[in-house]
Amino acid sequence: MKVLIFDTTDAAVQAVADRLLGEIRMNPGVVLGLATGGTVEPVYERMVNSFESGEISFAGVRTFNLDEYVGLSGDHPMSYHTYMNRHLFSRTDFAAYNVNIPRGDVPDPTAEAGWYEAEISRHGGVDCQLLGIGENGHIGFNEPTSSLSSVTRIKTLAPETVSANSRFFDRVEDVPTTSITAGIATILRSRKVALLATGEKKSHAVAKMIEGPLSAICPASALQLHPLTEIYLDVAAASELTLHDYYQAVHPNGRTDVP
Ligand code: PGA
């Protein structure tokens, strides 16, 4: 696990965007795992900027999003389909046939979950997975006590997730309580992982993920098992790390080009 602590939030965001753009430059047919949430919005904004300035094309990139709310149609304003279209897909040249997001409004969400897991495998797996982290340590909608060997399936949202996500809805009662989410084993099968966490609210979960015991109570701690994970943090998100000075010495201001 590479722990990269940046002086500013902007620098952490830019580094993640550069990481993803670098993957695409290396392999224009790369398979990216994508995430939703407030934290990664500015990453997508930077990807859009690169596209608009003619630096990059996404035409050959295949994507698999982590999750979707059960019950929301793709055109529901709060669905993750809409989020992705608004922040990335409709503003760039991603091809619709390369974009994959679990469908939340299907009659049989369990069958959809199984199909989605198989689709990821059928396309050779995810090369690089972008992640955020919840204040409760979730990745995707893998809430605390999710099995560390889980695959794509239906998960009930934890009360704190419903409450955190209610800021995007008119009323807390409107937040769906179940989701289809890639599992922890699904995420661990990605060849590389880039997780972004910013702000003080994430500092506790970040410390448990990096320095806590490997435990289902903090699903993100499963990333300790992954050989190629990079954690991108701003100073606030890194503030509870015990070995903070060590990480800074190894990668000063997030630099990875120093021995
Ligand atoms: P956030 O969500 O970026 O909106 O905080 C992250 C997550 O819950 O994974």
Side-chain angles (χ1 to χ4, degrees):
M1 199 178 253
K2 274 189 191 154
V3 181
L4 309 173
I5 305 170
F6 295 83
D7 287 346
T8 64
T9 306
D10 252 20
V13 165
Q14 188 62 51
V16 173
D18 288 345
R19 182 81 176 81
L20 297 180
L21 293 168
E23 291 290 326
I24 297 164
R25 285 193 188 98
M26 251 182 346
N27 174 11
V30 72
V31 180
L32 294 183
L34 296 180
T36 48
T39 311
V40 295
E41 270 180 39
V43 172
Y44 296 143
E45 189 64 36
R46 280 164 172 78
M47 291 171 73
V48 170
N49 292 344
S50 291
F51 169 74
E52 286 173 345
S53 61
E55 289 164 36
I56 195 99
S57 166
F58 303 113
V61 177
R62 189 178 303 280
T63 64
F64 284 92
N65 263 79
L66 284 170
D67 45 21
E68 180 57 283
Y69 293 112
V70 168
L72 298 197
S73 63
D75 59 2
H76 187 285
M78 290 303 128
S79 74
Y80 286 159
H81 283 74
T82 299
Y83 171 105
M84 290 307 300
N85 285 330
R86 183 187 308 134
H87 293 292
L88 188 63
F89 297 146
S90 71
R91 302 170 66 195
T92 53
D93 65 345
F94 278 95
Y97 55 81
N98 280 335
V99 163
N100 299 276
I101 306 175
R103 289 166 300 171
D105 61 343
V106 289
D108 186 348
T110 299
E112 170 75 5
W115 177 82
Y116 196 75
E117 182 76 22
E119 272 301 281
I120 298 174
S121 300
R122 193 170 74 81
H123 289 288
V126 167
D127 293 310
C128 186
Q129 174 69 56
L130 172 65
L131 290 178
I133 181 172
E135 287 171 48
N136 66 359
H138 76 197
I139 44 177
F141 275 126
N142 294 288
E143 303 289 21
T145 71
S146 286
S147 161
L148 300 184
S149 42
S150 51
V151 295
T152 307
R153 70 212 183 289
I154 311 304
K155 268 307 277 186
T156 301
L157 274 54
E160 59 272 18
T161 302
V162 172
S163 155
N165 290 8
S166 66
R167 70 190 195 277
F168 300 115
F169 290 78
D170 289 338
R171 303 173 314 158
V172 67
E173 304 82 61
D174 294 339
V175 185
T177 53
T178 51
S179 64
I180 300 180
T181 182
I184 297 186
T186 317
I187 292 170
L188 291 179
R189 273 200 294 274
S190 310
R191 283 176 270 282
K192 299 172 197 165
V193 172
L195 183 146
L196 174 64
T198 57
E200 196 272 329
K201 277 186 176 172
K202 299 292 173 69
S203 59
H204 190 59
V206 163
K208 282 175 75 180
M209 162 177 67
I210 297 170
E211 297 177 337
L214 171 63
S215 166
I217 201 72
C218 178
S221 69
L223 295 172
Q224 294 172 16
L225 293 169
H226 191 278
L228 287 173
T229 284
E230 293 180 342
I231 311 287
Y232 295 76
L233 303 171
D234 65 3
V235 171
S239 60
E240 288 190 45
L241 289 169
T242 306
L243 300 187
H244 180 280
D245 293 352
Y246 170 69
Y247 310 129
Q248 274 290 17
V250 179
H251 298 296
N253 194 23
R255 283 177 53 197
T256 51
D257 59 340
V258 280

